[in-house]
Amino acid sequence: MKRIGMVIALFVCVNAAPQARAAAMKPAALRERISVSLAADKREVALTLAKQDPVLRKALASRLSGEHLAVDLKQWLGAVSAPPSVTGVAERADLNVRRLKGLERELDSLLQLRLASASMLPALQQGVEPLYAYEPDGDDSQWRFIEAFDGLGRVHRLDVHRLPEQPVLVVDIDARRDLAAGIKLMREHLVALGQRPLPVLETAAAATSTPVTILDRIYLNDDEEPWISGNAEVYAIVNGVDPSRDAPQLDIVDMPYLDTDGRTYSPNQVLIFWERYRWAAANVILMEHDDNTSYQELVSYLFNVASQILTAVGQPEIGALVALGSGLVDRMPGEWFTNDDDYVDSFYTLEKNHAYTNHSGARGNAVVSLRPYELASQ
């Protein structure tokens, strides 16, 4: 599983202009704005590198290990003195990918070259010729094959779900750096929309005790993700109604440990700062991180849809929370959110001062254990 994210959804109205924009946007246009296409850039780089394989393979194999299966493409090509034509293709593609995702000012490189599986490393180091592949755009349940190239530039069509025996090098984005930069960008955008910054743990309890909810355990069921997708990258959007004004409160929380399904994690992580939410209740929507996401467009869309939902509800009350959580899922742009692997599960009406042990989501795909806690004053 490659992309898992979390949205803890509580929303309220903002103002008429964002509502009008969200209402006027058709699903196809929303998807185009939020989900950008990266496959063409990745494909060009994969084909270019494949044709240079005899020159680059040995230098690459010596850089990889069971713990480090990827290299930063820009740094690596510079270190091995690759031909200018190759570095030029890679640098142009990298810049275009960062521009499409709105991260060109946040990162100086994003593309990487990753061995698809640690099981392929011995063969690569023994000189077996690899194939160079890339992850297609779109819903992986609709993929018919994985396109890959050999050293002569010939196309190979690989099975989507069966790991190839031949080594495969994947041109992809560095999902961890991508998500970290995207979280920073979303937080800044939310502050620009008028929200208070997310508390820093070191200072959150400096003056008084701070009530929080701790995520003790989380488990995601097994699924059959394509082998090319790699590990998951997880983030949380914790959100609710600001206690001091009728406006949404969305907090972005990174979950870098949650990278594999079918395994229980015990992060002991602060997930919710309750002083930031009215009614002391929240919903949780689990999602996968998507390489193709434009983060500013995503967080703007969430903010605007929240406004639209609670405008329809009227004066926000505690009973509107489930309508907000389920309504957000229902109104995401078609299969981009509701029918493919971006959406994982939902937890509705979680409450302050309540413990939840082995609590299953509405979809039955995730289980969490949560507990209330007080960050002590210092």
Side-chain angles (χ1 to χ4, degrees):
M1 179 179 286
K2 184 171 186 179
R3 306 175 296 271
I4 313 167
M6 186 178 289
V7 180
I8 300 173
L10 303 175
F11 304 94
V12 75
C13 60
V14 187
N15 57 59
Q19 297 163 20
R21 287 195 298 270
M25 191 69 65
K26 294 181 179 180
L30 284 168
R31 183 183 178 99
E32 184 176 346
R33 284 180 54 180
I34 297 171
S35 185
V36 296
S37 175
L38 308 181
D41 287 297
K42 294 178 183 177
R43 184 185 192 277
E44 183 182 15
V45 175
L47 178 57
T48 300
L49 293 178
K51 293 178 179 179
Q52 293 293 320
D53 175 70
V55 177
L56 301 175
R57 185 194 318 162
K58 185 176 181 180
L60 176 64
S62 65
R63 291 286 190 96
L64 303 181
S65 67
E67 293 74 33
H68 301 284
L69 295 177
V71 295
D72 179 281
L73 196 54
K74 182 178 180 180
Q75 293 179 358
W76 176 65
L77 289 176
V80 298
S81 301
S85 59
V86 176
T87 57
V89 167
E91 288 176 359
R92 286 192 299 272
D94 194 292
L95 178 58
N96 194 47
V97 165
R98 286 181 283 125
R99 282 175 175 167
L100 287 170
K101 294 178 64 64
L103 298 176
E104 68 271 24
R105 297 182 180 179
E106 305 297 324
L107 298 171
D108 59 4
S109 66
L110 189 54
L111 287 180
Q112 66 174 9
L113 189 61
R114 170 174 54 84
L115 189 62
S117 171
S119 64
M120 298 174 174
L121 186 58
L124 183 70
Q125 292 176 333
Q126 291 166 14
V128 175
E129 179 184 0
L131 298 175
Y132 289 75
Y134 63 96
E135 187 178 38
D137 288 332
D139 181 356
D140 59 36
S141 69
Q142 303 300 314
W143 295 350
R144 295 184 294 113
F145 56 84
I146 301 297
E147 187 178 44
F149 307 101
D150 63 23
L152 298 177
R154 294 175 299 194
V155 174
H156 296 249
R157 293 185 172 186
L158 307 179
D159 187 280
V160 172
H161 292 288
R162 187 178 64 189
L163 185 70
E165 295 182 4
Q166 185 175 358
V168 178
L169 295 164
V170 183
V171 175
D172 203 356
I173 68 171
D174 185 331
R176 174 95 300 269
R177 295 182 68 223
D178 170 51
L179 182 55
I183 286 174
K184 176 177 179 291
L185 199 65
M186 287 192 286
R187 287 175 174 172
E188 291 173 351
H189 192 60
L190 289 170
V191 171
L193 290 171
Q195 292 195 175
R196 294 171 295 158
L198 184 68
V200 177
L201 279 178
E202 287 78 5
T203 60
T208 60
S209 295
T210 302
V212 299
T213 283
I214 300 287
L215 175 63
D216 275 335
R217 291 161 60 89
I218 183 168
Y219 174 88
L220 300 173
N221 288 326
D222 291 324
D223 62 16
E224 296 186 6
E225 280 286 297
W227 54 267
I228 198 170
S229 295
N231 288 336
E233 297 297 337
V234 180
Y235 67 99
I237 302 177
V238 182
N239 54 81
V241 179
D242 191 296
S244 61
R245 63 188 185 124
D246 286 348
Q249 180 67 52
L250 286 76
D251 294 336
I252 316 296
V253 179
D254 198 1
M255 306 176 76
Y257 52 87
L258 187 54
D259 59 6
T260 306
D261 58 359
R263 171 182 171 185
T264 298
Y265 291 85
S266 303
N268 192 38
Q269 181 182 25
V270 174
L271 193 60
I272 307 173
F273 287 91
W274 286 111
E275 64 183 14
R276 297 170 69 77
Y277 311 111
R278 192 182 300 183
W279 307 316
N283 305 315
V284 175
I285 303 173
L286 296 177
M287 290 184 62
E288 292 178 305
H289 160 250
D290 189 340
D291 288 356
N292 295 65
T293 296
S294 171
Y295 293 103
Q296 281 187 318
E297 293 292 349
L298 173 62
V299 77
S300 295
Y301 180 70
L302 292 174
F303 200 85
N304 291 342
V305 166
S307 306
Q308 211 174 351
I309 291 172
L310 283 202
T311 295
V313 170
Q315 181 65 32
E317 298 179 355
I318 184 65
L321 294 184
V322 172
L324 291 170
S326 60
L328 180 67
V329 174
D330 292 341
R331 294 178 58 180
M332 275 293 181
E335 64 279 350
W336 175 80
F337 190 85
T338 57
N339 296 326
D340 75 8
D341 292 331
D342 294 326
Y343 173 63
V344 177
D345 214 333
S346 306
F347 298 85
Y348 297 123
T349 319
L350 298 176
E351 298 180 70
K352 177 185 176 183
N353 296 327
H354 280 237
Y356 298 86
T357 302
N358 296 328
H359 186 57
S360 294
R363 195 181 182 190
N365 199 34
V367 178
V368 299
S369 291
L370 307 168
R371 62 182 167 91
Y373 188 74
E374 293 275 338
L375 294 176
S377 59
Q378 299 181 2

